[in-house]
């Protein structure tokens, strides 16, 4: 697959094979008006102690999601290499230009990193990041934890997720890693739009892969951050990398409720433009046909709001954040708790 591709233009001067904690950068050349021979600097940390499995931990795949970057900068700054067996590679802000701009996609090229995999060494800056991760970091990894949350336009119940996969042994490993993350909710998904995702590339390479949706609304909360920090330690402990006092004790995590998204009726999409009045919030139970939001036309007064009906029964797993909606915006996502 990779033999015919050109070398990556991205360089990294960290030694991935030496013991200890090291902090550096992936340097992506980016010649531009304000910096002729400039580069995009993507922070990376490698922590190694002897032989053992390798975990790749990533945040900032989308630039407006914050629990992952907070938990991963914290981990990189505080984890004592003596407390691990194996290696941890941390990219807290994988799409660094998007993270710096506080946007989902890159301000350089408009690239959505999570639709750019496996990437191209001769493509856009976003495609070059994806290519480097695919060809230089994923081959080192046994397991991958890619943090997401809802960004500026969605807010989620805190959940960790894995996919339904053709390789059932890999699927079972991913499920066990989700359990170890210990979020209040967990989800096994069929991806509607899997082409270009980091998940798809990593799973095709046989890597245990866990993703998350931990809140959103363009910020992070003490609760969602606590879930992220506890989750990454649970993930590393289950992988056999984190041991002793650093591994979370199981009572620290509450029970996890598994959710299912049985069909496309889980998604409630707006057909109108207007001012949204939510009538339910995250975690609420709804029945099929319930009015879950009203959309007020705001062009003039005196018009009735338009009711939005749940298309299936379930609980509110995600909700639209901005006060205005447009046709095609996701108003809410409903999921069904698995007994
Ligand atoms: Ca995301």
């Amino acid at each position: 697959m990779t033999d015919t591709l050109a070398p990556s233009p991205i360089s990294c001067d960290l030694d991935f094979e030496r013991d200890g904690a090291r902090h550096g950068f992936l340097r992506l050349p980016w010649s531009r008006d304000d910096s002729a021979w400039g580069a995009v600097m993507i922070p990376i940390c490698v922590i190694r102690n002897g032989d053992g499995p390798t975990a790749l931990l990533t945040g900032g795949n989308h630039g407006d999601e914050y629990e992952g970057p907070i938990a991963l900068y914290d981990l990189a700054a505080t984890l004592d290499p003596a407390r691990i067996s194996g290696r941890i590679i941390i990219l807290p802000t994988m799409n660094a230009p998007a993270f710096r701009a506080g946007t989902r996609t890159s301000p350089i090229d408009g690239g959505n990193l999570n639709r750019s995999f496996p990437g191209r060494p001769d493509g856009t800056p976003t495609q070059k990041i994806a290519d480097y991760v695919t060809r230089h970091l994923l081959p080192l990894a046994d397991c991958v934890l890619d943090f997401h949350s809802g960004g500026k336009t969605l807010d989620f119940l805190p959940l960790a997720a894995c996919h339904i996969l053709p390789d059932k042994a890999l699927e079972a490993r991913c499920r066990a890693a989700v359990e170890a993350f210990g979020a209040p909710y967990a989800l096994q998904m069929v991806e509607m739009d899997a082409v270009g995702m980091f998940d798809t590339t990593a799973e095709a390479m046989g890597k245990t892969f866990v993703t998350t949706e931990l809140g959103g609304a363009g910020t992070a909360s003490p609760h969602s951050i606590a879930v992220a920090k506890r989750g990454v330690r649970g993930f590393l402990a289950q992988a056999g990398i984190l041991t002793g006092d650093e591994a979370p004790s199981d009572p620290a995590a509450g029970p996890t409720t598994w959710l299912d998204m049985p069909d496309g009726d889980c998604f409630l999409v707006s057909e109108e433009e207007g001012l949204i009045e939510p009538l339910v919030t995250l975690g609420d139970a709804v029945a099929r046909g319930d009015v879950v939001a009203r959309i007020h036309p705001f062009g003039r007064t005196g018009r009735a709001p338009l009711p939005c009906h749940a298309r299936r029964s379930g609980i509110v797993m995600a909700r639209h954040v901005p006060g205005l909606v447009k046709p095609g915006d996701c108003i809410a996502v409903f999921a069904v708790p698995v007994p």
Side-chain angles (χ1 to χ4, degrees):
M1 172 186 89
T2 56
D3 293 347
T4 58
L5 293 175
S8 173
I10 295 177
S11 59
C12 177
D13 55 11
L14 290 186
D15 185 344
F16 288 77
E17 305 304 328
R18 278 177 61 199
D19 281 356
R22 266 160 253 293
H23 305 275
F25 300 93
L26 305 183
R27 287 196 307 279
L28 163 61
W30 179 36
S31 178
R32 58 198 194 270
D33 288 346
D34 69 319
S35 189
W37 287 9
V40 172
M41 304 291 274
I42 303 168
I44 183 170
C45 166
V46 180
I47 304 172
R48 185 178 184 276
N49 185 29
D51 294 328
T54 293
L56 174 61
L57 310 176
T58 53
N61 183 338
H62 292 132
D64 61 350
E65 304 175 0
Y66 297 102
E67 285 82 1
I70 291 168
L72 294 180
Y73 275 112
D74 184 64
L75 187 74
T78 59
L79 185 59
D80 177 358
R83 300 301 186 98
I84 74 165
S85 299
R87 181 169 54 182
I88 305 172
I89 301 170
I90 306 174
L91 283 172
T93 56
M94 189 160 53
N95 196 346
F99 183 78
R100 185 171 285 271
T103 52
R104 179 174 178 83
T105 58
S106 174
I108 298 177
D109 53 26
N112 180 340
L113 181 57
N114 214 28
R115 298 294 182 278
S116 301
F117 279 83
R120 295 184 60 89
D122 57 353
T124 63
T126 304
Q127 290 170 328
K128 289 172 180 169
I129 295 170
D131 172 68
Y132 187 89
V133 172
T134 298
R135 289 197 292 156
H136 293 269
L137 299 183
L138 276 177
L140 302 176
D142 299 288
C143 55
V144 183
L145 172 58
D146 184 39
F147 277 101
H148 288 257
S149 60
K152 286 179 174 169
T153 63
L154 291 172
D155 194 15
F156 277 85
L157 288 175
L159 65 90
C162 57
H163 293 106
I164 294 168
L165 298 170
D167 178 344
K168 292 302 165 189
L170 177 59
E171 182 183 300
R173 291 207 306 276
C174 295
R175 237 186 115 90
V178 166
E179 292 273 8
F181 188 94
Y185 293 90
L187 177 67
Q188 196 170 23
M189 303 186 278
V190 183
E191 207 62 58
M192 301 278 180
D193 182 22
V195 174
M197 292 180 70
F198 184 27
D199 318 42
T200 309
T201 293
E203 288 159 356
M205 293 168 73
K207 310 303 180 184
T208 301
F209 191 93
V210 171
T211 185
T212 71
E213 299 289 358
L214 298 173
T219 184
S221 71
H223 180 245
S224 64
I225 293 164
V227 171
K229 287 184 176 180
R230 191 269 167 211
V232 68
R233 285 182 150 79
F235 178 86
L236 291 170
Q238 197 262 348
I241 297 172
L242 200 55
T243 55
D245 295 345
E246 293 283 344
S249 55
D250 275 336
T256 295
T257 300
W258 278 86
L259 302 173
D260 187 24
M261 292 174 63
D263 53 48
D265 284 344
C266 293
F267 297 92
L268 181 60
V269 173
S270 180
E271 297 178 357
E272 305 288 342
E273 179 179 24
L275 168 65
I276 188 163
E277 177 189 354
L279 301 179
V280 293
T281 193
L282 291 178
D284 283 356
V286 301
R288 184 169 186 267
D290 281 359
V291 179
V292 295
R294 305 196 303 168
I295 299 176
H296 295 267
F298 54 72
R300 58 164 298 158
T301 59
R303 289 183 178 155
L306 302 148
C308 301
H309 300 273
R311 294 156 58 93
R312 68 152 30 258
S313 300
I315 65 168
V316 183
M317 186 182 84
R319 68 175 195 95
H320 182 82
V321 170
L324 302 183
V325 288
K326 304 177 299 299
D329 283 353
C330 182
I331 292 175
V333 183
F334 304 103
V336 181
V338 179

